[in-house]
Amino acid sequence: MSSQNGVVGDVTGNRLVLVGNAIVDLVMRVPALPERGGDLIASDTALTTGGGFNALTAARRLGLPALYAGAHGTGPFGDRVRADLTREGIELVLPPVTETDTGFCVAFVDDEGERTFTTSLGAEARLTEADATAVLAALRPGDMVQISGYGLAYPVNGPILASLVARLPEHTQVFLDPGPLVAQIPEEVLKPVLARCDWVSCNQREGRLLTGLADAQDAAAALAARLGPRTGVLLRADADGCWLVPPGGEAQHLPGRRVTAVDSNGAGDAHAGAFLALLGHGLDLTAAAQGANAAAAFAVTRHGPATGPTLGELLDFLDEDPPAARLTSALRR
């Protein structure tokens, strides 16, 4: 296993293919959200690439080859997204959309590290059937295909993505992150995607919206029961770690790591990307989820959305954590 610039070299034939949305984030740090009609002065402002880029970089930094199979525009935001994807060693499947730029998001991060978003859609929300055909042609056996609930909620993308997922070959694993807009996904779009999923990863709010249950363990178990025995569930519980329900198995709690959070933007993406990358390394489900918990904890101690650790950073972060000794040993083989 070799590394260059802190990123572990490719170690498997698996790839992460994200059919999602890489957009530009305008991130503003504020003491709290302004009251309605009010105003605040941001203590810091940054322009970064975010959205699906966060999960792709989290996986890529841990050695899983990654492809961006979403749409991207022509303009300054599209140029920035492509440059950042290229810098991280992430391939693009689709050509740029002409005459439309990539969209952007304004993200407010308060003093408790919580983030609140407002998004302006662009080329990433304009997938076509020709794009879906190109994505299908680019897939290889062993690929992990990640679908974003953001795309499923978009009026144009949703039906195309649902049709694409239904046509995915059996040799691909499908990973759904339903996202904060899950309640806005039409049932006729969400249902076929859930039926094909191998994994669903969501946070507690999304789990509640999908099941009506506020308790994390109950929501994880209910979601697994709804999905059936071939689909696993990861329900992220922030500092409390996550609930893992293996396909056909029982819910088990995997504790998180207590850290001082400075920015939760992208933590869920770091968790998802790390989980898939660690599965690609051959780790078992429990060890992969433990590693994902650690990657998310690492991410919230850094400012910015794409802050998942490299393999070296993850191993250093786990160095004094006895429950993760098995993970550390496996990754150092």
Side-chain angles (χ1 to χ4, degrees), residues 181-199:
L181 299 183
V182 61
Q184 301 177 37
I185 302 174
E187 180 64 20
E188 65 271 18
V189 170
L190 183 60
K191 185 175 180 179
V193 176
L194 291 177
R196 176 59 179 85
C197 278
D198 295 280
W199 284 95

Side-chain angles (χ1 to χ4, degrees), residues 175-179 199-203 206 223 232-236 268 271-272 275:
F175 186 94
L176 172 66
D177 186 343
W199 284 95
V200 173
S201 174
C202 62
N203 62 26
E206 295 153 7
L223 183 55
V233 171
L234 273 176
L235 195 147
R236 307 184 302 271
H271 194 282
F275 179 71

Side-chain angles (χ1 to χ4, degrees), residues 14-331:
N14 301 326
R15 305 184 302 173
L16 173 58
V17 181
L18 186 137
V19 190
N21 314 299
I23 62 175
V24 170
D25 286 347
L26 175 62
V27 183
M28 307 178 74
R29 295 194 59 82
V30 295
L33 291 180
E35 63 178 336
R36 186 181 183 190
D39 196 357
L40 286 174
I41 303 298
S43 61
D44 181 67
T45 302
L47 195 67
T48 66
T49 299
F53 176 74
N54 303 333
L56 287 167
T57 56
R60 185 71 191 96
R61 290 171 186 175
L62 292 177
L64 185 67
L67 286 76
Y68 175 58
H72 47 103
T74 305
F77 289 164
D79 291 344
R80 185 185 187 99
V81 166
R82 282 185 292 276
D84 286 343
L85 288 167
T86 300
R87 187 193 70 243
E88 292 284 343
I90 298 165
E91 298 179 40
L92 288 90
V93 174
L94 303 176
V97 177
T98 59
E99 300 180 358
T100 303
D101 202 358
T102 291
F104 66 95
C105 169
V106 178
F108 297 98
V109 182
D110 63 30
D111 281 348
E112 296 182 354
E114 188 56 87
R115 75 281 186 271
T116 304
F117 298 131
T118 300
T119 302
S120 176
L121 303 182
E124 74 287 345
R126 300 187 181 184
L127 281 176
T128 66
E129 183 56 37
D131 293 334
T133 300
V135 171
L136 288 169
L139 295 177
R140 303 193 312 216
D143 281 344
M144 303 174 176
V145 178
Q146 183 172 357
I147 304 294
S148 165
Y150 280 106
L152 297 178
Y154 297 163
V156 173
N157 288 18
I160 290 175
L161 287 174
S163 174
L164 168 63
V165 169
R167 288 178 285 162
L168 288 173
E170 282 299 315
H171 61 65
T172 59
Q173 292 192 63
V174 182
F175 186 94
L176 172 66
D177 186 343
L181 299 183
V182 61
Q184 301 177 37
I185 302 174
E187 180 64 20
E188 65 271 18
V189 170
L190 183 60
K191 185 175 180 179
V193 176
L194 291 177
R196 176 59 179 85
C197 278
D198 295 280
W199 284 95
V200 173
S201 174
C202 62
N203 62 26
Q204 286 183 270
R205 175 183 175 273
E206 295 153 7
R208 175 175 56 80
L209 291 172
L210 284 165
T211 65
L213 299 172
D215 180 80
Q217 180 180 5
D218 292 344
L223 183 55
R226 173 183 174 183
L227 295 171
R230 71 179 298 272
T231 304
V233 171
L234 273 176
L235 195 147
R236 307 184 302 271
D238 299 326
D240 289 331
C242 70
W243 286 90
L244 168 68
V245 188
E250 300 294 325
Q252 57 180 301
H253 180 238
L254 300 175
R257 293 173 57 91
R258 296 289 172 175
V259 297
T260 300
V262 299
D263 187 351
S264 65
N265 191 9
D269 294 318
H271 194 282
F275 179 71
L276 292 174
L278 296 175
L279 287 182
H281 277 285
L283 272 66
D284 62 70
L285 295 178
T286 299
Q290 285 178 325
N293 283 349
F298 177 94
V300 301
T301 64
R302 270 72 174 167
H303 291 294
T307 51
T310 64
L311 181 61
E313 289 171 334
L314 180 60
L315 292 176
D316 289 344
F317 192 66
L318 292 170
D319 195 42
E320 298 180 1
D321 185 2
R326 183 161 55 102
L327 170 66
T328 304
S329 176
L331 287 176

